[in-house]
Amino acid sequence: MNRDLAAALFVFISSFIIFSANIGGLSIYSLDEAKNAECAREMLERADLIVPTFNYQLRTDKPPLHYYFMMISYSIFGVNEFSARFFSSLFGAFTVLITFLISHRYLGYRVAFFSFIALISSLHFSIQFHMAVPDPFLIFWINAALFSFLIGFKEDKKLFIYLFYIFMGLGVLTKGPVAVVLPSGIILLYLLFTGNTSIKTLKKLRIPSGLIVTALVSLPWYIAVYIKTDGKWVYDFIFKHNIHRFSEPMEGHGGIFIVTLLFIFFGMLPFSVFIPQTLKLAWKNRKESIILLSLIIVGVYTIFFSISGTKLPNYTVPLYPALAILTGYFLDNIFRFSNRSLYISLSFYTIIGLILTAGLFIGIRNEPEISDLSYLSLYFLLLPLSGILAIFMLRKSRIIPVLTVSAFSVFLGFLFFYYLFPKIDKRNPVYQMMPLIEKDRDIRYYKNFNPAFVFYLKKEIKPLKKDEIQGFLHSDEKVYILTRKRYLNELKGIKDLVILKQVKDLFERKISVLITNRKD
């Protein structure tokens, strides 16, 4: 086995091990995971590749490509937490691999290795690829498209130019127009910065035939779903989940522009503490094509989602590979920087680690269902501890402190997925209530309920109106109703109503309630 293949296999396998850590041992509980995982299950159940549904009602949030991967996984491994997340973890490993390969191609082994280190050290990056949502796939498609463009354009390779268009098409099938709009803007800026705006240059991009390829990959499904839903899916997706989401905050996820910067900073810890040095060095060496492209990717994503009405931590994750390349370039040139500069960054990291630990302690302590688990936050003291060790090691070496901080961060990631979060996960209302529900019994909901119940019950949960509840509970058979605590006052005086359990949804204000018609 040659060196290049061995290195690529090491990067891929180790990344997959990190990103798949305990993916089968954690509940499908968050709203996004529950709806995506259940939507794929329902499509598989109906053998329907066109119309996405959740709780057997049309779901217009996302296109279907990630559902297809989940359906394949369900067919192989069965419908469970592991299979819902398997391809997310796999695409995470692919994302790290292509970042390593493009770095190696243009900047050498050392930069490629440090880029790899920067990505696997990010707990937030790892969390993204632990989730049964479309983002892991979009992150890969966008970066694969941009890296393919660079190779195709710089080395005049037609195959990679067409791969650029294919990957954009797959991105459109994963999350919509954003997979074309942002990469196209990035490429335009790259061409402007490099002065490649001549007709001859544009011909190299094969824009007409390339856009046809993108359309052939993505449009057939959009046309099919338009026909099968009389245009409703396309209308809701474009106007509600794209235009409205960009122009206004949705579901309370708004904030000023600095929120996006904070997402990036905390998301790329530990090595985001070197962002000032990283960007300074990158700007000085922007004539290097991969450095310039990475700077543009980071800049475009940061600005775009800073002005977006809706702000979420996952929106900027597609820039992480580019930022990792720039970070890898900095770490390879860390000897150029003074000890004072590095001491300041590592000291800041130590302080941030202490603040983060204190914040987690307070946050968990103030969450009634898990307040007794606040001690778990103390494990995050590993972060400032690694910062302190790195400061002392800096006197003798520049590389060992980097590897120390990375090793502690990766170790904390394994602790988080195998030990810390499972303890919290067991306190969620779905985990607490499912053992109380006989799955073959009739179950309905009143006004609102946690969507994860649909995934675990594997059947439709139909709504009840207030005037239907009395008759439903009067059944000779045991039946159940899911609702929220805030609606209980509306149900006072209804006969046969027994509150079986109430559990607060973790880190939310909602309280899930399970109602039945008999205690036995």
Side-chain angles (χ1 to χ4, degrees), residues 149-166:
F149 157 78
L150 185 64
I151 296 171
F153 184 76
K154 186 177 173 65
E155 302 177 25
D156 199 17
K157 293 187 175 181
K158 184 168 67 173
L159 171 62
F160 283 91
I161 291 295
Y162 281 114
L163 282 174
F164 164 67
Y165 292 106
I166 290 171

Side-chain angles (χ1 to χ4, degrees), residues 228-282:
K228 292 198 73 171
T229 63
D230 295 323
K232 179 170 174 53
W233 191 97
V234 173
Y235 181 87
D236 282 2
F237 177 66
I238 296 298
F239 288 97
K240 179 181 178 182
H241 296 289
N242 281 270
I243 296 174
H244 183 66
R245 189 176 288 272
F246 179 79
S247 60
E248 297 179 29
M250 285 189 67
E251 300 164 353
H253 300 298
I256 59 174
F257 76 94
I258 199 172
V259 170
T260 299
L261 300 179
L262 291 174
F263 285 156
I264 296 168
F265 175 77
F266 283 100
M268 276 298 283
L269 282 173
F271 294 109
S272 55
V273 294
F274 296 115
I275 281 180
Q277 299 98 316
T278 295
L279 295 181
K280 180 180 178 181
L281 180 65

